[in-house]
Amino acid sequence: MDNYRQGEPGELRLKGKTAVITGAGSGIGRAAALHLARNGADVCLIDLNDNRTEKAEREIREMGRESLFVDADVSDPQRVEKAIRTAVDRFGRIDVVFANAGINGTLSPIEDLQPEDWDKTLATNLKGTFLTVKYAIPHMKQAGGSVIVTSSVNGSRKFSGFGMAAYSASKAGQVAFAKMAALELARYKIRVNVICPGAIETHIGENTNRTKQVDKIDIPVEYPEGNQPLEHGPGKPEQVADLVLFLASEQSSHISGTEIFIDGAETLL
Ligand code: NAD
């Protein structure tokens, strides 16, 4: 690319850009929101109504950036459309979309999994991603931009999360969706990439309902020296935020349609 410029240390890589982040009140979304703001972006924070997101909004404003919390359930088309419209009305543009909101949902053997529990996981994780991207596209077509989707190692490199059939299916679906979107949106210079985290220390446990029936299908998996080869423990949301910043910025200008694993080599064991 002719006008490609390598980032200087300390440069505000997202100066003048606007990012929309779902699931921005906690964990990976919150860390990414703070990090993108620290690097110059104004940020629209979409999450379910809770005071954690308002706290993130305040912290970003204290950095001297614009920030706006919009209460929306990502599985609800009307509310997502309205949230995106609110972001555009406030900031005038969308350059970066981080479709990240997600739940583990109900963990259960397939034969015991209730159809409504399947629907809830798929609606939040997969339909939520579709809706977030769908309603952002009209506002990104003119100037291009970057879409980042949070999938998981589950559904792509790991299949031993027993009871997680719905979750893994939703996460695999996100990877396929992002690749389709990367091709379709390349003409508008919109890049689309997927991040696949391994275990990360967040509040996802609050959205996890492990039924006792999972014990019936569990297969013990034992690793020779623990399950985290690189750091011997789960990753931190801030480490994932660094990857999100890279994919959001021009430093990744030739990367689209790619999934990137961020799991400390956990799933290579
Ligand atoms: P988290 O629970 O800390 O944060 C998720 C946020 O999403 C919460 O603030 C929650 O309120 C929000 N959310 C949930 N349902 C929503 C909905 N319907 N509409 C709007 N917001 C909603 O968890 P996290 O670990 O930061 O999760 C972020 C993403 O990372 C998820 O997609 C998750 O599947 C993925 N992920 C997490 C891990 C991990 O180990 N933590 C591993 C792989 C993938």
Side-chain angles (χ1 to χ4, degrees):
M1 190 183 256
D2 286 339
N3 56 359
Y4 179 77
R5 214 162 42 84
Q6 214 171 11
E8 302 288 328
E11 184 187 20
L12 291 181
R13 294 198 230 168
L14 298 179
K15 193 160 184 235
K17 307 276 188 196
T18 296
V20 171
I21 300 181
T22 68
S26 174
I28 293 169
R30 176 191 147 80
L34 294 174
H35 202 42
L36 298 196
R38 212 173 283 127
N39 279 271
D42 295 326
V43 192
C44 175
L45 311 164
I46 298 178
D47 206 309
L48 301 168
N49 193 6
D50 74 25
N51 52 23
R52 288 192 300 215
T53 320
E54 278 154 6
K55 184 162 177 280
E57 184 191 46
R58 275 198 306 279
E59 284 177 52
I60 291 171
R61 287 185 181 162
E62 280 160 19
M63 287 177 202
R65 306 277 172 252
E66 290 294 321
S67 182
L68 175 68
F69 163 45
V70 183
D71 168 18
D73 178 338
V74 292
S75 66
D76 180 331
Q78 277 89 36
R79 287 176 73 187
V80 177
E81 185 175 21
K82 191 161 169 235
I84 298 283
R85 162 64 42 212
T86 306
V88 173
D89 287 349
R90 170 70 178 271
F91 299 112
R93 57 187 296 151
I94 298 178
D95 305 283
V96 175
V97 171
F98 184 29
N100 164 78
I103 56 170
N104 279 342
T106 296
L107 276 52
S108 159
I110 295 165
E111 65 173 328
D112 300 320
L113 182 62
Q114 297 305 310
E116 54 272 24
D117 292 329
W118 168 275
D119 285 347
K120 165 103 174 139
T121 302
L122 272 285
T124 305
N125 297 354
L126 186 54
K127 185 181 177 191
T129 298
F130 156 63
L131 294 174
T132 306
V133 174
K134 169 185 165 58
Y135 290 116
I137 291 171
H139 309 288
M140 300 177 81
K141 279 161 90 169
Q142 194 88 33
S146 173
V147 174
I148 303 122
V149 173
T150 307
S151 174
S152 171
V153 294
N154 287 288
S156 51
R157 237 166 43 175
K158 179 176 173 185
F159 298 89
S160 55
F162 297 104
M164 300 186 100
Y167 180 79
S168 297
S170 75
K171 294 287 154 184
Q174 286 178 302
V175 176
F177 172 77
K179 291 185 182 198
M180 295 298 293
L183 267 187
E184 186 176 318
L185 303 179
R187 72 193 65 197
Y188 307 121
K189 303 283 178 262
I190 301 173
R191 299 182 294 107
V192 185
N193 290 291
V194 191
I195 61 169
C196 299
I200 307 292
E201 264 172 22
T202 68
H203 292 105
I204 194 122
E206 292 172 14
N207 283 313
T208 307
N209 167 30
R210 187 186 189 279
T211 62
K212 61 180 183 337
Q213 286 96 324
V214 175
D215 293 341
K216 288 192 306 200
I217 56 164
D218 199 21
I219 303 171
V221 182
E222 292 190 16
Y223 299 104
E225 289 182 50
N227 62 1
Q228 301 281 343
L230 196 60
E231 298 186 37
H232 305 289
K236 304 225 168 355
E238 291 74 20
Q239 292 174 304
V240 184
D242 269 324
L243 174 58
V244 176
L245 172 64
F246 170 67
L247 290 172
S249 73
E250 278 299 299
Q251 270 66 57
S252 59
S253 59
H254 199 50
I255 303 178
S256 192
T258 295
E259 69 266 59
I260 299 182
F261 294 93
I262 176 157
D263 72 342
E266 171 193 351
T267 49
L268 293 179
L269 272 170

